[in-house]
Amino acid sequence: RLRLHDGKLIKDRRYHLRTYPNCFVAKELTDWLIDHKEAPDRETGIRLMQKLMDHYIIHHVCDEHSDYKDAKLLYRFRKDDGTFPLSKDVKVFMRGQSLYEKLVSVEESILKVREENSVKYQRTFLGCEMIDWLVQEGEVENQKEAVELGRALLEHGIIQHVSNRHHFFDSDILYHFWTNFRRRRRLTELLNENSSRALSESPDSPFCLRKLNSDPGNTSFLSVQTTKEIKIVSAVRRSSITSLAGNSNPYFSTSPVLVFPPVAECNPKSVLKRPVTNEELLSPGAPYIKKTLTIVGDAVGWGFVVRGGRPCHIQAVDPGGPAAAAGMKVCQFVFSVNGMYVLHLDYQTISSLIMTGPRTLVMEVMEAIE
């Protein structure tokens, strides 16, 4: 989906005097799958897209076709129009992803390489450490909720006891993240995942348990970053992007947007008059004040663009969006996201935290005293 936004296959299209936001033409997408080696032929491409339809990931823009047809018909990702079903399984998976990203991005993380029964495991944690961390970071209200969350993560295959012998307990038992959230998968893998058993036993599955051998250079918990050409612009409305790109079209999309403009549009000139360092922001007597903003996302997101890094700043704000209503302004610096200190992070990491977090976003920002 992100690559299709980047390649402009997903865009607003007009048909019979009506504009359909953020959609793609089925025939064009099938061509794209073959051109980008995601499918060897049209038949496989159709099967892949049908798989996404069966799992409520894409649908026909008017829901007039239940099958994916390799024709000039308009389809859309449900993530782009707010109709993606957030089942309990999906919510637990997204919560696990959010916690994982938060844990790997902080210094002195509880995730460490540890050894048990002469076998080394990467990015492990003790059950009691996770409990304390969840409570300390405000992820849960108390110890009981922390244990319940840990059990839900284990039951959904997100974490696992290193030898798969125990459920989750508040003790010094060793666990690790079983799901590899950062491995980029190929679409054709979907055709082989007919059962959870086959999925978990596949040696190349992101859910496969991978152990470290004695070679310190071996990193068995594989992590493949998103390719460099994918520029992520998160938590934004199309109106913000069109204004940045110099587009005079007053049309505001009514669907959620994670857009990928060309490089010139994706990295506009910074709105900051000069670079600002973390030391300058946090120094005693600095001319900056901290504000807490609570932003309730609507069907199209939160309505702002984050840019820069260490610290990140607000590059653009949709004047009609939730962020503007909460008091967000251009040039504010992002201090924390949902209770997590983020001054040391880049905008891609902060965008990921926002997108995988709750709809109600709590941000602390710092702005210059006028």
Side-chain angles (χ1 to χ4, degrees):
R1 168 176 163 270
L2 305 185
R3 294 166 68 195
L4 294 175
H5 273 292
D6 191 31
K8 293 294 185 181
L9 266 76
I10 294 179
K11 59 185 179 182
D12 298 349
R13 300 174 187 268
R14 289 188 66 82
Y15 181 73
H16 286 178
L17 302 180
R18 178 178 175 183
T19 299
Y20 295 90
N22 296 334
C23 58
F24 60 86
V25 178
K27 189 176 185 302
E28 292 180 4
L29 180 54
T30 308
D31 293 337
W32 184 92
L33 291 172
I34 297 173
D35 292 342
H36 288 75
K37 311 299 183 185
E38 291 289 355
D41 49 52
R42 304 193 79 81
E43 180 183 357
T44 304
I46 294 169
R47 288 172 60 203
L48 287 170
M49 292 302 102
Q50 185 61 50
K51 195 88 168 179
L52 297 187
M53 287 197 73
D54 293 341
H55 287 276
Y56 301 99
I57 294 173
I58 64 174
H59 68 127
H60 181 256
V61 291
C62 297
D63 291 318
E64 294 177 353
H65 300 277
S66 58
D67 296 330
Y68 182 83
K69 301 182 184 297
D70 187 21
K72 291 185 178 181
L73 296 174
L74 299 180
Y75 292 82
R76 183 188 292 132
F77 279 83
R78 291 186 178 274
K79 187 75 173 177
D80 281 337
D81 64 9
T83 61
F84 182 69
L86 287 176
S87 64
K88 179 182 178 181
D89 291 346
V90 173
K91 289 180 178 178
V92 172
F93 185 88
M94 293 178 67
R95 185 72 185 279
Q97 182 180 32
S98 175
L99 292 174
Y100 175 79
E101 293 294 340
K102 187 172 181 178
L103 281 166
V104 299
S105 65
V106 298
E107 297 180 3
E108 301 299 325
S109 173
I110 63 173
L111 299 186
K112 299 177 182 178
V113 176
R114 293 182 174 90
E115 183 176 320
E116 184 169 291
N117 297 327
S118 301
V119 178
K120 286 185 178 180
Y121 299 89
Q122 192 177 20
R123 291 178 180 172
T124 66
F125 58 89
L126 301 178
C128 54
E129 286 182 334
M130 178 63 80
I131 297 294
D132 293 341
W133 182 83
L134 289 171
V135 175
Q136 178 182 336
E137 294 297 316
E139 292 288 343
V140 294
E141 292 292 333
N142 49 51
Q143 181 181 1
K144 179 181 178 182
E145 285 188 15
V147 173
E148 292 174 352
L149 175 57
R151 287 180 165 260
L153 294 175
L154 189 142
E155 291 168 1
H156 284 78
I158 308 299
I159 63 174
Q160 181 191 56
H161 176 248
V162 290
S163 56
N164 202 20
R165 294 178 180 176
H166 300 285
H167 210 306
F168 184 80
F169 296 101
D170 182 7
S171 66
D172 58 358
I173 297 176
L174 192 61
Y175 301 88
H176 64 170
F177 275 85
W178 193 25
T179 300
N180 185 354
F181 289 106
R182 292 191 171 186
R183 188 177 77 82
R184 182 173 174 181
R185 308 175 63 192
R186 299 195 68 82
L187 279 175
T188 49
E189 294 179 43
L190 294 172
L191 301 179
N192 301 321
E193 296 179 358
N194 296 321
S195 68
S196 58
R197 180 179 177 82
L199 176 65
S200 62
E201 293 179 354
S202 168
D204 193 40
S205 168
F207 303 103
C208 179
L209 178 63
R210 298 184 175 126
K211 299 178 181 178
L212 283 173
N213 60 24
S214 56
D215 179 6
N218 182 342
T219 172
S220 58
F221 196 96
L222 298 177
S223 175
V224 180
Q225 297 287 356
T226 312
T227 53
K228 291 182 179 179
E229 69 269 15
I230 298 181
K231 304 290 184 178
I232 299 181
V233 183
S234 311
V236 62
R237 291 166 168 245
R238 181 172 295 277
S239 52
S240 297
I241 282 296
T242 52
S243 64
L244 290 175
N247 190 334
S248 60
N249 184 355
Y251 175 74
F252 279 27
S253 166
T254 58
S255 62
V257 177
L258 185 59
V259 284
F260 295 86
V263 175
E265 296 176 12
C266 191
N267 296 290
K269 183 178 179 180
S270 174
V271 295
L272 299 178
K273 295 181 180 179
R274 62 177 181 82
V276 176
T277 65
N278 286 339
E279 290 73 18
E280 182 179 346
L281 281 176
L282 301 176
S283 62
Y288 296 94
I289 57 174
K290 187 189 300 183
K291 292 184 176 181
T292 301
L293 309 178
T294 301
I295 309 167
V296 181
D298 59 18
V300 292
W302 295 271
F304 64 95
V305 178
V306 177
R307 274 291 172 270
R310 306 176 182 90
C312 288
H313 64 273
I314 304 301
Q315 175 74 16
V317 179
D318 177 0
M328 180 173 285
K329 301 176 182 178
V330 169
C331 296
Q332 289 175 333
F333 295 95
V334 185
F335 182 86
S336 72
V337 174
N338 294 326
M340 178 180 177
Y341 174 78
V342 296
L343 279 181
H344 61 296
L345 302 179
D346 56 28
Y347 77 88
Q348 291 98 332
T349 305
I350 292 179
S351 296
S352 177
L353 288 173
I354 293 171
M355 293 302 294
T356 57
R359 180 176 287 264
T360 299
L361 176 65
V362 179
M363 291 181 62
E364 286 183 297
V365 296
M366 300 184 72
E367 69 177 31
I369 299 175
E370 296 180 359

